Amino acid sequence: DAKTTQPNSMESNEEEPVHLPCNHSTISGTDYIHWYRQLPSQGPEYVIHGLTSNVNNRMASLAIAEDRKSSTLILHRATLRDAAVYYCILSSNFGNEKLTFGTGTRLTIIP
Amino acid sequence: DGGITQSPKYLFRKEGQNVTLSCEQNLNHDAMYWYRQDPGQGLRLIYYSQIVNDFQKGDIAEGYSVSREKKESFPLTVTSAQKNPTAFYLCASSINHNGGKGSYNEQFFGPGTRLTVL
């Protein structure tokens, strides 16, 4: 499985943008990039995914480097409810494959 | 409402006892998964099932067993052979999306069961 590398923790002020980085230098051409987040004492929830192009949805944006060896999850205006552990995960394009969750980035929002 | 339910939320057992954790989904998903999470750690895959009556070991299957007799249900039994069973257990199911350049897997998680072995 291709590996991802994320900082252990980050802090951001409330109502400011947050950029969460992820390195995946061994990504293959068919790997999707997924982001999930886990709020305290809950199961993870899907945030966003992408393959080659940048993606936007109601929760966040995903910026993917041109060489696909890194990506950045962007929360445009962080709120206290965004405090969570964020996981960057790669999966092949073959469908119901297992996902490998690392330790993720613990995001703290400062009021 | 569609979703994944896990019960109970908190479970206490004595050392040496087997215990079964429930996981039910009404999302009509083919694949289901069990993960274990220890404090401050990420999720580790115990077992997964891509179709009824079939399942595969994940990264830490020793001391656990599963069954998949129905599409909706994927119970996990923590046996007495599991050396350190106290943990947060998460069940998930997934749907396969056709992304135009291949398929990708979106997983939906239950609320988890916190097991404490005394």
Side-chain angles (χ1 to χ4, degrees):
Chain A
D1 292 341
K3 301 294 185 188
T4 63
T5 304
Q6 301 176 254
N8 288 332
S9 62
M10 290 183 64
E11 289 185 348
S12 179
N13 293 320
E14 193 177 9
E15 299 187 4
E16 290 187 357
V18 181
H19 290 235
L20 297 164
C22 181
N23 287 322
H24 28 80
S25 58
T26 59
I27 190 171
S28 74
T30 55
D31 283 341
Y32 279 87
I33 303 160
H34 301 260
W35 284 82
Y36 283 73
R37 74 177 186 181
Q38 186 176 19
L39 302 173
S41 298
Q42 296 186 27
E45 62 176 349
Y46 166 85
V47 177
I48 200 167
H49 80 279
L51 186 62
T52 55
S53 305
N54 294 344
V55 185
N56 300 298
N57 67 20
R58 63 175 180 81
M59 290 180 71
S61 296
L62 177 59
I64 301 172
E66 196 168 333
D67 63 6
R68 301 209 327 126
K69 293 185 176 182
S70 65
S71 60
T72 302
L73 179 70
I74 303 166
L75 308 179
H76 293 286
R77 194 163 168 268
T79 69
L80 295 177
R81 287 179 294 180
D82 291 320
V85 177
Y86 287 79
Y87 298 97
C88 171
I89 302 163
L90 303 181
S91 73
S92 71
N93 69 343
F94 297 118
N96 278 332
E97 294 283 309
K98 54 180 182 169
L99 300 179
T100 300
F101 287 77
T103 53
T105 297
R106 183 174 298 277
L107 176 64
T108 301
I109 305 297
I110 302 167
Chain B
D1 285 337
I4 301 175
T5 57
Q6 291 186 245
S7 61
K9 188 169 184 177
Y10 298 96
L11 189 56
F12 296 88
R13 280 294 181 270
K14 291 183 179 179
E15 193 173 347
Q17 290 182 331
N18 290 357
V19 59
T20 297
L21 309 185
S22 166
C23 178
E24 303 280 331
Q25 56 102 357
N26 61 3
L27 300 168
N28 200 34
H29 289 172
D30 286 319
M32 296 186 73
Y33 311 79
W34 273 106
Y35 295 89
R36 169 186 172 135
Q37 188 173 37
D38 293 287
Q41 303 297 311
L43 281 67
R44 292 185 291 169
L45 183 65
I46 304 173
Y47 268 98
Y48 64 106
S49 167
Q50 295 184 322
I51 198 167
V52 174
N53 293 323
D54 186 48
F55 48 83
Q56 288 80 39
K57 293 182 179 180
D59 301 318
I60 55 165
E62 186 175 351
Y64 300 96
S65 66
V66 293
S67 63
R68 187 85 188 278
E69 298 176 1
K70 298 187 299 182
K71 189 175 187 177
E72 304 80 18
S73 179
F74 191 39
L76 173 74
T77 297
V78 185
T79 75
S80 57
Q82 168 51 234
K83 299 301 180 191
N84 188 17
T86 294
F88 187 44
Y89 290 87
L90 288 156
C91 178
S93 67
S94 71
I95 186 168
N96 207 26
H97 294 287
N98 186 345
K101 295 183 181 180
S103 300
Y104 61 90
N105 176 354
E106 180 181 352
Q107 291 194 7
F108 295 78
F109 284 82
T113 292
R114 198 167 295 277
L115 173 65
T116 302
V117 175
L118 306 171

